[in-house]
Amino acid sequence: MRLLFSLTALALAMPAPALAYEAAITRDDWGIAHVKGRSDADAVFGMIYAQAEDDFNRIEMNYLTNLGRLAEAEGEGAIWSDLRQRLFIDPADLQRQYASSPAWLKALMRAWAAGLNQYLADHPEVKPKVIINFEPWMALSFSEGSIGGDIEYVPLSQLEAFYTGKQISLTAAERAVTYREPAGSNGFAIGPSHSKSGNPLLLINPHTSFFFRSEMQVQSDAGLNAYGAVTWGQFFIYQGFNDAAGWMHTSSGVDNVDEFAETVKQRPGGGYTYRYGKAARAVKQKPITLAFRKADGSLGQRTFTTYSTHHGPIVGEKAGKWIAFALMNKPPAALQQSFLRTKVRSVAQFSKVGLLKANSSNNTLFASNKGEYAYFHPQFLPIRSAEFDYTKPVDGSDPATDWKGLHPLSALPQVVNPANGWVMNVNDAPWWAAGKDSPKQAAYPRYADSEGRQPRTAHALAVLNGQPNFTLDSLVSAAYDPWLSTFAELIPALVRADAAAPDPKRAAAVAMLKEWDCKWSTASTETSLAVFWGEALWERGKARAEQEGVSMYVWLSTRATDADRLAALDDALARLTADFGSWQVPWGEINRYQRNDAAIKQTFDDARPSVPVMFASANWGSLAAFGAQRYPGTRRFYGTYGNSFVAVVEFGPKVKARAVTDGGESGNPASPHFGDQVGRYVSGNLRPVYFYPEDLKGHVEGVKVVKGG
């Protein structure tokens, strides 16, 4: 009862909404929406309306994905993505969960649906691909804002293999051997002892696919006042701050999804059983019918008989065992936690909201104007037996492998106000979150983290330990520090290899890398050579790393041979020369930002305008991440993943903040705000955030009042 009372207080016992909603949308001179409503429901109505103005297509596509209806827009090729989603997200079940949700949450979901439907009514020229009417319960399908939901750990190839009876191999991407930008983000919280002003500071730096979130402010007379990044289509600020506190989520390495290998037998009369202890339990069967768009524009249907055990849906088969997949599936609680988090003003309030235990995948860096700074681990962590290795399928017939409830929050690795003066996470384990004051790995179960160190770990520790008195300016400098820590580790081995087997053809290149300070810049030819060498070495090692069961980072640093290193350098020199006429090419000539249209899947063209980008891939230890690669017909690298929103915030008597987003707020190429932040984005030149009314003065582009419902 105490938790219920606390959460209700945070929701501020919102009055029942009137039949109509009203909100004011003020656009600043960057096109960013500042939404104000009387009630939280009014604010949500205006918030989603403003998002739809900026990019309705991304909103609809997010819900087609999360409702398991993507194939209705994209064709039968998306059917397996839809089936995966529908194994866990059942529209009928979501409607039941909506009906039993708290009154205040239902009010927000009704406002959300009303805002989207009002936008469509006001803009008949906008033609949805599929969803012509949004219903309140649909908001439960997309209840947290992470770049990759837990469901995406289910490999589509094996789902298709199981439900078609075909033999299909895991893809290279599913085996995690392809070269790609790491998923994740950077978060730093600086305590008063390491802040020049004595006020806590927060770095908010998500690494996502580009244009994945909108930037906005949402306010109500009921205590809501949040600013930051919101994933298209959601009604809560996912990473951001209010006037008292801020929160930055980073993708966690926690092991929170598990595979259970079920021993299944077919019954003579039909159906299946699975062994559980000494008993034979019935495998549940459920038909799922999915629609898909045909080439002629009409809709076809496919129906699948799906299976599940008490562990979860069956998603594949390994060594003759059916694989049931277990994950957190608590949509109402997750949506409550996501929204209520935006109103918290202290560590104590954040912890109360965390008692919902509906965050399974995100670490959180937190700071408040009470002088607090903290690292929190995901609050959903199932208790499991130490006898089993849950990174592999466990025996579902053994009751000892079952989840045994959830860990209490007090048993999770977390750090509040550590003596070292800061906390951080760069998608690594919490064992480095606060330097010497970090949680000790030995005190926690091994499933508390499955990632360990990241290439950015050493870099983050270096910049945080190197600055005793942070300001907003120096926090920005730390976020864009140009050191490529992975190359600082790898290049000495290359130099030694060349000394043992010198070749005049590569002597100048080795000498250049030997003298390099391992810092990127657009003018740096060393960065270009190092990146081409690193990618060539990765290509040589990916099959062996998989065979040896080690990560690519372990292979690159400890398993690659001298012959591998030298051959990869020869490959890099040849590729640079073939593509650019020389192996000495400035990094900015290669590494580019380009956005030609509003398409979610972009097409790149060397002949069209693009902008040089100084920062590099997080694979090489860059904190400011730009995941770029060649595309068909291009020599240059074009980025699609990495730094997407960057903000620094100071929590004093008044909030001070700066921010930049990846290009512009609008998804409309005709808008002046489609690319007006590109110059700031590529140079790390953050703009002032207009948080208070006095900040907005002189910077208002327009105000409109939207009504509906």
Side-chain angles (χ1 to χ4, degrees), residues 296-354:
D296 63 5
S298 64
L299 288 178
Q301 286 189 338
R302 290 182 67 175
T303 298
F304 300 89
T305 299
T306 65
Y307 306 96
S308 65
T309 71
H310 74 284
H311 293 120
I314 301 299
V315 299
E317 184 175 357
K318 294 181 182 178
K321 305 283 187 179
W322 287 14
I323 302 300
F325 201 84
L327 49 69
M328 185 193 84
N329 194 356
K330 303 164 61 175
L335 192 54
Q336 288 179 71
Q337 188 165 345
S338 293
F339 181 80
L340 292 173
R341 202 162 45 212
T342 68
K343 286 191 169 187
V344 302
R345 306 178 68 79
S346 65
V347 162
Q349 289 186 356
F350 185 93
S351 298
K352 281 184 178 179
V353 172

Side-chain angles (χ1 to χ4, degrees), residues 385-462:
S385 171
E387 297 180 24
F388 306 102
D389 180 2
Y390 286 87
T391 64
K392 302 174 182 177
V394 294
D395 184 0
S397 69
D398 185 350
T401 63
D402 275 10
W403 290 357
K404 312 296 183 185
L406 300 177
H407 283 278
L409 300 191
S410 59
L412 303 179
Q414 62 182 33
V415 190
V416 178
N417 301 332
N420 71 303
W422 50 261
V423 290
M424 72 89 179
N425 188 259
V426 291
N427 313 114
D428 48 3
W431 327 133
W432 296 278
K436 62 182 177 59
D437 298 312
S438 302
K440 306 307 177 191
Q441 184 174 2
Y444 299 93
R446 57 183 171 178
Y447 52 75
D449 179 78
S450 60
E451 291 294 325
R453 292 177 71 97
Q454 293 291 321
R456 284 165 288 141
T457 302
H459 195 173
L461 292 172

